[in-house]
Amino acid sequence: MSAIDDLPPLREVIATHGLSARKSLGQNFLLDLNLTAKIARQAGDLSESDVLEIGPGPGGLTRGLLSEGARKVLAIEKDARCLPALAEIAHRYPGQLQVIEGDALEIDPLAHLTPPIRVAANLPYNVGTELLVRWLTPPRWPPFWQSLTLMFQREVAERIVAQPGSKTYGRLAVLSQWRSDARIVMSLPPGAFTPPPKVSSAVVHLDALSGPRFEADATVLSRVVAAAFNQRRKMLRAALKGTAPDIEDRLTAAGIKPTDRAEQVPLEGFCALAREVAKG
Ligand code: SAM
């Protein structure tokens, strides 16, 4: 019996189902169920939410989410070897766990979820950033999710919460902070995982705001920010040359010095610039 439920400990689950970790799938498992329950608690009150989990693996975080009272968990897992272990959890929590086998980058989970929806995941490193950017840039806002509680490599987590003037400030910070509150809520050493990854990890929690902090068109803002940080050591008038005609005038109209570099520009400045660029 485990610390949080009456299912077998995760080491036993892994041995029973032959779930040796595969590097190609970004598999670094959390085996301490007290820790996964703690991560689940960072996601907020789950009792009235459906939770979307990407990459449940042997089910450590899944069990944390369910033991913390999640109304329903929809878990998307690419590795078919994990399905029997997940079926045992579904049996323990009847009607509360649905598992879809497949690639989270290709599956639209929304048909299986009822709002309010929270996302919680110990993300596979190879797809984590791409999923985050998709969740941050939907066609309409507010998005389908109320909050995201996500494990990243520490360095990626720092890029999400970075402030202007820091080396880690870039596209992820601007897109994350434009329409959500983002903060690091936990830090985990490599030894928390089996096998241990090379670097430390951190859990980031993002709450979706009802609207943007500053008005801007999402597509234009993404384009401007991507171009600005693509050549982050150049002055903005050079880095943004191909973005719009008369870019120096637009930068000035947005209150930005054309000789500034991207990492000096606060969120408000990028939104003002996106509005100037959108004028055509
Ligand atoms: N949630 C488990 C835990 O905390 O122990 C496993 C986390 S492990 C870092 C990442 C998981 O994502 C693995 O189970 C892996 O098979 C799965 N995965 C990798 N790529 C995926 C993808 N594109 N779609 C869905 N799952 C994926």
Side-chain angles (χ1 to χ4, degrees):
M1 209 156 51
S2 78
I4 60 166
D5 55 33
D6 48 13
L7 289 160
L10 282 159
R11 272 186 205 287
E12 199 178 308
V13 172
I14 285 173
T16 307
H17 298 286
L19 301 178
S20 53
R22 293 203 174 140
K23 214 173 171 175
S24 60
L25 287 165
Q27 291 182 336
N28 301 97
F29 299 134
L30 289 169
L31 303 189
D32 178 348
L33 289 159
N34 288 314
L35 184 60
T36 62
K38 193 172 165 191
I39 296 169
R41 285 197 290 280
Q42 303 297 332
D45 179 7
L46 302 178
S47 61
E48 288 178 10
S49 303
D50 280 8
V51 180
L52 171 63
E53 186 191 359
I54 309 299
L61 181 57
T62 319
R63 286 165 63 176
L65 293 164
L66 288 164
S67 77
E68 288 301 317
R71 181 174 69 187
K72 170 183 173 172
V73 175
L74 174 69
I76 303 178
E77 174 56 60
K78 196 171 175 182
D79 185 354
R81 294 180 309 156
C82 299
L83 300 186
L86 296 167
E88 287 172 9
I89 305 172
H91 186 73
R92 162 69 181 74
Y93 291 94
Q96 280 180 273
L97 172 61
Q98 182 182 355
V99 180
I100 301 180
E101 181 196 345
D103 186 339
L105 292 170
E106 279 161 22
I107 289 170
D108 179 2
L110 289 190
H112 308 279
L113 292 164
T114 310
I117 299 164
R118 296 183 185 270
V119 178
N122 174 11
L123 287 169
Y125 288 150
N126 45 355
V127 293
T129 315
E130 164 134 24
L131 281 171
L132 174 64
V133 170
R134 284 192 198 180
W135 289 328
L136 292 171
T137 54
R140 270 183 297 278
W141 200 269
F144 77 85
W145 50 273
Q146 191 174 52
S147 67
L148 309 173
T149 306
L150 308 171
M151 179 89 68
F152 287 103
Q153 289 170 289
R154 175 94 211 171
E155 175 262 328
V156 177
E158 276 165 10
R159 285 201 272 137
I160 294 168
V161 301
Q163 295 300 308
S166 77
K167 291 248 172 312
T168 45
Y169 182 62
R171 188 174 75 116
L172 272 189
V174 173
L175 292 182
S176 301
Q177 296 168 37
W178 179 41
R179 297 186 288 194
S180 30
D181 264 330
R183 57 189 203 281
I184 293 179
V185 291
M186 275 173 81
S187 294
L188 287 94
F193 302 85
T194 303
K198 287 202 172 60
V199 295
S200 295
S201 300
V203 177
V204 183
H205 181 84
L206 299 99
D207 284 308
L209 301 175
S210 52
R213 287 183 208 279
F214 309 102
E215 280 310 316
D217 176 84
T219 313
V220 178
L221 180 67
S222 289
R223 191 159 52 86
V224 165
V225 170
F229 285 102
N230 233 346
Q231 305 184 69
R232 59 188 296 142
R233 266 177 294 208
K234 284 200 176 166
M235 290 179 191
L236 285 165
R237 67 178 177 211
L240 294 175
K241 218 170 174 178
T243 314
D246 312 318
I247 194 64
E248 289 213 34
D249 294 344
R250 293 176 203 252
L251 281 160
T252 308
I256 301 169
K257 277 199 244 136
T259 51
D260 274 355
R261 283 156 178 91
E263 71 183 42
Q264 296 165 272
V265 179
L267 174 61
E268 186 173 8
F270 278 119
C271 292
L273 180 59
R275 292 196 299 273
E276 290 302 323
V277 169
K279 286 179 181 165

